[in-house]
Amino acid sequence: MDHKRSIPPACYPCLFQQLHSLVKITGMHEADGKRLFEHSMRQLLETGGEGIVVQHVVRSATDLAAALMDMGGMGEDEYDPYRAIKQRSNDLALTYAGEFRRKILEAPDQLAYGVLIAAAGNIIDFGAKQHGSLDVEAELRSLDLHEFGRFDFQEFSSRLATTRRLLYICDNAGEIVFDRLFIEILKRTYPELDVTCAVRERPVINDAVASDALYIGLDEVARVVSSGSVYPGTLTEETSPLFRQLFRDADLIISKGQGNFETLHAEADRRMFFILRIKCDPVAVLSGVAKGALVLMQGGGGM
């Protein structure tokens, strides 16, 4: 057991909210919903929240949901209770893509504005909000009105200027549309840049998998690979050999979203830049940035 990992008590309410959303979205019978909650509570009680992270509990609950539901011949690896929500997020984001592409091209500093759009796109997160409480369309209309609580842009642009191999660790469906816009301007600014985007291996919450990336055309601007992660985050020791090699070889790594920040911040070096919106009090404390603010944060000594 890895005792460096733990689930802070402040994370428990959010975790149970995620479980409630999973029960609601799957349409589980009451008995199955109770069984899912008891399964996760037993996991927490047996470990005391030590040696594990929230991502482990979410994965385990999703696997149990797959086992409990009639999946119509679908394998557990393909079971995606958030499929309809992810599709709606992708489609809605695509309707705004042209508008924000134009705004990026008209911005005085296209690269800085691209970071803003990528960061603000991290609002599309049903893992951090109760199902039904996130008005994606309203958030998209105000996408570029958010502010940064930390903006390590000088460090980012300086390192980017000497980068050839960039690893971009994606987060949510819908959000990846704005990642694509950001990558477009990155490659327009640095035509020789080799960009690889990593998505989740299996569906979990609303995190993007390969089918989401292909649907929104992410493969048209970057190489798309699976990280091997089955969690709503990136636990590097539980990723694929290919991803670990890409991670080691990258000149610069962009980590999107709160789940990736939670699982990668402790091992981040100066090559890594976190782009996200701070969505809860524990991550606000961890990052030193106020809840609700956007972040472009360099890892390593920059944290």
Side-chain angles (χ1 to χ4, degrees):
M1 183 177 290
D2 183 354
H3 291 283
K4 292 182 291 185
R5 292 175 174 166
S6 64
I7 302 177
C11 292
Y12 280 45
C14 180
L15 175 57
F16 288 125
Q17 178 178 291
Q18 288 191 32
L19 297 176
H20 175 69
S21 293
L22 182 59
V23 169
K24 184 176 180 181
I25 288 166
T26 56
M28 280 185 188
H29 295 301
E30 184 176 332
D32 285 341
K34 183 179 178 183
R35 183 175 171 185
L36 186 142
F37 266 91
E38 290 173 345
H39 168 82
S40 297
M41 287 173 12
R42 191 175 303 112
Q43 191 175 7
L44 291 169
L45 288 169
E46 289 175 354
T47 62
E50 296 295 326
I52 62 172
V53 290
V54 167
Q55 286 78 10
H56 286 120
V57 182
V58 174
R59 176 74 265 165
S60 182
T62 303
D63 290 343
L64 178 59
L68 292 172
M69 300 301 292
D70 178 6
M71 298 178 291
M74 182 183 297
E76 288 188 19
D77 286 358
E78 302 172 274
Y79 180 64
D80 193 351
Y82 282 76
R83 187 186 305 277
I85 289 173
K86 289 164 59 181
Q87 186 66 49
R88 177 172 175 265
S89 296
N90 285 329
D91 287 338
L92 269 175
L94 284 169
T95 65
Y96 286 87
E99 175 185 346
F100 285 105
R101 182 180 288 113
R102 175 183 55 78
K103 288 186 175 185
I104 290 172
L105 293 174
E106 292 176 353
D109 188 329
Q110 295 180 358
L111 193 58
Y113 196 83
V115 175
L116 169 64
I117 294 305
N122 188 233
I123 61 168
I124 306 172
D125 189 354
F126 287 91
K129 293 226 177 196
Q130 186 172 359
H131 174 54
S133 69
L134 179 59
D135 187 338
V136 175
E137 191 159 14
E139 293 278 14
L140 287 174
R141 286 195 298 268
S142 62
L143 197 65
D144 56 349
L145 300 180
H146 300 281
E147 296 183 354
F148 280 90
R150 178 159 172 177
F151 193 53
D152 293 342
F153 184 72
Q154 182 175 349
E155 295 84 349
F156 176 72
S157 56
S158 176
R159 186 167 289 266
L160 185 61
T162 61
T163 290
R164 291 296 172 265
R165 290 170 295 192
L166 190 157
L167 176 61
Y168 198 112
I169 306 174
C170 297
D171 190 24
N172 300 321
E175 176 183 353
I176 55 174
V177 171
F178 302 101
D179 295 329
R180 174 180 172 160
L181 297 181
F182 183 34
I183 293 167
E184 286 177 3
I185 199 61
L186 284 170
K187 296 190 74 171
R188 188 175 294 113
T189 308
Y190 300 98
E192 300 304 315
L193 196 61
D194 178 20
V195 182
T196 298
C197 289
V199 295
R200 306 289 187 247
E201 172 69 16
R202 290 171 55 192
V204 60
I205 317 181
N206 65 322
D207 287 28
V209 294
S211 58
D212 297 302
L214 297 178
Y215 181 78
I216 65 95
L218 193 60
D219 59 314
E220 296 172 16
V221 298
R223 176 189 182 195
V224 175
V225 301
S226 164
S227 68
S229 176
V230 300
Y231 303 102
T234 304
L235 302 168
T236 51
E237 70 275 19
E238 299 182 52
T239 55
S240 69
L242 171 61
F243 177 82
R244 291 195 295 273
Q245 186 66 49
L246 291 166
F247 195 92
R248 286 191 297 267
D249 292 346
D251 302 311
L252 189 152
I253 302 168
I254 294 174
S255 167
K256 283 300 301 295
Q258 188 161 286
N260 285 327
F261 177 78
E262 290 174 292
T263 48
L264 288 170
H265 77 279
E267 62 183 284
D269 57 33
R270 301 287 284 175
R271 298 175 302 150
M272 183 173 288
F273 288 82
F274 295 98
I275 299 178
L276 67 151
R277 187 182 185 186
I278 305 300
K279 296 167 183 169
C280 67
D281 293 328
V283 174
V285 172
L286 189 63
S287 64
V289 177
K291 181 178 175 182
L294 303 181
V295 164
L296 169 66
M297 177 183 290
Q298 186 175 23
M303 295 180 66

